[in-house]
């Protein structure tokens, strides 16, 4: 089953205690799609500027990702710059330049309109809605967002949330969005908006699932190599939805397994800057880490 992912395609400038890198490959759709592509056939919708290096397209194609929904517009690619301190759960944004994203009118190619597994990665919620409007029979729609859109496009964001089956947010975002410091209360408020499942990502503290009367808590991988947490949330989501699409099973039990797959993919992505670790990642390494997860969560 194909996974359709829409989100940002970006060039990030990132500073962590382990170094500073300028204009490296990033963006929510990029991190999510590369991660999903390890599990299922993946197609991407997004926009890049004329300055977007060809080698990055070659990387997407090497992962067999369908790039027919990517537009190249004259102008500069989206740029995000941020830094992390020793508490790497918290990204600090220095600057966001939407550039060609502000001109983007997403068009889903005809052959992808019947996609069943859809991930609306972090992007202007008005654009997330435009993509949703073009789909004919989505079976599972998951979405993500961030403080930038919570602060600037709240109304549109609520519309996306009401149409999503699964909302993924990090702990800081859900607290901000639901205006409460209490995560279970924030999750309950989101469920009241009509969402079936809420997944809250807590960085090095794992992920929590809330659904009608159901709660599940997954630990994070005990990360001994952590150089750049950028894209952890997106690679989590990509692995999560990729696994659901591959198995075609959206039962509660399988959603729990998908959370472990998502956590595994995120744990690899943060081992190096940008998507560098994903470039060398092998399927056997993924299975071995999932097995480790199984061992340390069993009691
Ligand atoms: P995360 O998985 O939350 O760490 O997401 C990281 C990616 O989100 C980075 O590679 C950025 O390019 C991208 N990003 C940052 N701000 C925004 C935004 N306002 N809209 C869309 N994508 C963004």
């Amino acid at each position: 089953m194909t996974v359709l992912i829409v989100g940002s395609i970006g060039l990030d400038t990132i500073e962590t205690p382990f170094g500073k890198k300028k204009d490296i490959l990033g963006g929510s759709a990029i991190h999510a799609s590369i991660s999903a592509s390890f599990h299922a056939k993946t197609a991407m919708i997004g926009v890049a500027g004329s300055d977007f290096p060809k080698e990055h397209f070659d990387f997407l194609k090497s992962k067999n990702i369908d790039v027919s929904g990517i537009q190249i517009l004259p102008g500069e690619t989206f740029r995000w710059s941020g830094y992390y301190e020793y508490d790497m759960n918290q990204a600090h944004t220095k600057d966001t330049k939407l550039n060609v994203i502000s001109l983007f009118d997403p068009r889903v190619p005809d052959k992808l309109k019947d996609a069943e597994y859809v991930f609306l990665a972090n992007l202007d919620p008005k654009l997330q809605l435009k993509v949703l409007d073009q789909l004919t029979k989505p079976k599972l729609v998951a979405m993500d967002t961030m403080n930038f859109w919570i602060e600037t496009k709240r109304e549109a964001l609520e519309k996306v949330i009401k149409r999503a089956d699964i909302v993924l947010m990090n702990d800081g975002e859900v607290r901000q969005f639901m205006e409460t410091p209490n995560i279970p209360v924030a999750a309950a408020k989101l469920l009241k908006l009509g969402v079936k499942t809420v997944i809250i990502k807590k960085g090095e503290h794992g992920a929590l699932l809330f659904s009608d009367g159901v709660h599940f808590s997954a630990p994070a991988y005990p990360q001994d190599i952590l150089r750049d947490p950028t894209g952890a949330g997106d690679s989590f989501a990509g692995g999560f939805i990729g696994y659901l699409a591959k198995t075609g099973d959206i039962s509660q039990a399988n959603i729990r397994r998908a959370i472990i797959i998502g956590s595994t993919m995120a744990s690899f992505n943060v081992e190096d800057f940008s998507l560098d670790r994903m470039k060398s990642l092998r399927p056997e390494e993924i299975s071995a880490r999932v097995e480790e997860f199984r061992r340390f969560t069993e009691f």
Side-chain angles (χ1 to χ4, degrees), residues 17-225:
F18 307 100
K20 182 169 180 179
K21 305 263 178 176
K22 190 171 183 307
D23 283 345
I24 52 177
L25 178 62
S28 58
I30 296 277
H31 282 286
S33 300
I34 292 291
S35 175
S37 73
F38 282 88
H39 305 278
K41 173 81 185 132
T42 302
M44 244 179 93
I45 308 284
V47 65
S50 37
D51 58 348
F52 192 67
K54 178 182 171 296
E55 66 185 87
H56 298 332
F57 276 115
D58 294 342
F59 175 42
L60 296 175
K61 288 184 194 151
S62 76
K63 291 284 167 207
N64 206 17
I65 292 174
D66 180 335
V67 295
S68 59
I70 297 183
Q71 296 174 28
I72 309 284
L73 296 182
E76 285 188 41
T77 300
F78 170 76
R79 294 242 185 345
W80 177 75
S81 71
Y83 67 95
Y84 302 84
E85 292 172 338
Y86 278 105
D87 175 359
M88 290 171 91
N89 291 316
Q90 184 62 49
H92 302 279
T93 295
K94 271 189 174 165
D95 195 21
T96 303
K97 285 200 169 66
L98 293 177
N99 294 334
V100 290
I101 288 186
S102 46
L103 311 169
F104 186 35
D105 185 14
R107 260 161 280 138
V108 180
D110 286 342
K111 62 175 180 199
L112 297 172
K113 287 192 171 147
D114 60 355
E116 294 188 351
Y117 290 84
V118 180
F119 178 50
L120 309 172
N122 181 20
L123 187 67
D124 181 337
K126 288 196 169 157
L127 299 176
Q128 292 177 317
L129 281 173
K130 278 193 174 178
V131 168
L132 216 41
D133 285 342
Q134 295 172 56
L135 304 179
T136 54
K137 50 170 191 174
K139 179 171 166 184
L140 184 102
V141 176
M143 60 89 55
D144 190 7
T145 192
M146 75 180 290
N147 52 2
F148 188 85
W149 305 114
I150 294 174
E151 286 154 21
T152 60
K153 301 265 169 98
R154 194 180 174 98
E155 212 177 298
L157 185 56
E158 285 194 13
K159 285 190 187 148
V160 185
I161 288 174
K162 287 190 173 137
R163 291 175 63 181
D165 301 293
I166 302 184
V167 171
L168 297 122
M169 280 193 198
N170 71 33
D171 45 353
E173 288 154 3
V174 81
R175 286 188 176 107
Q176 179 185 16
F177 186 57
M178 289 291 125
E179 295 170 343
T180 167
N182 184 313
I183 288 183
V185 169
K189 282 181 150 188
L190 265 177
L191 291 173
K192 271 211 180 118
L193 291 177
V195 178
K196 292 191 197 84
T197 302
V198 173
I199 295 176
I200 303 193
K201 300 162 289 172
K202 298 179 69 207
E204 66 181 333
H205 305 298
L208 303 173
L209 171 145
F210 296 89
S211 187
D212 189 22
V214 177
H215 173 62
F216 174 64
S217 172
Y221 183 72
Q223 201 80 42
D224 48 357
I225 311 170

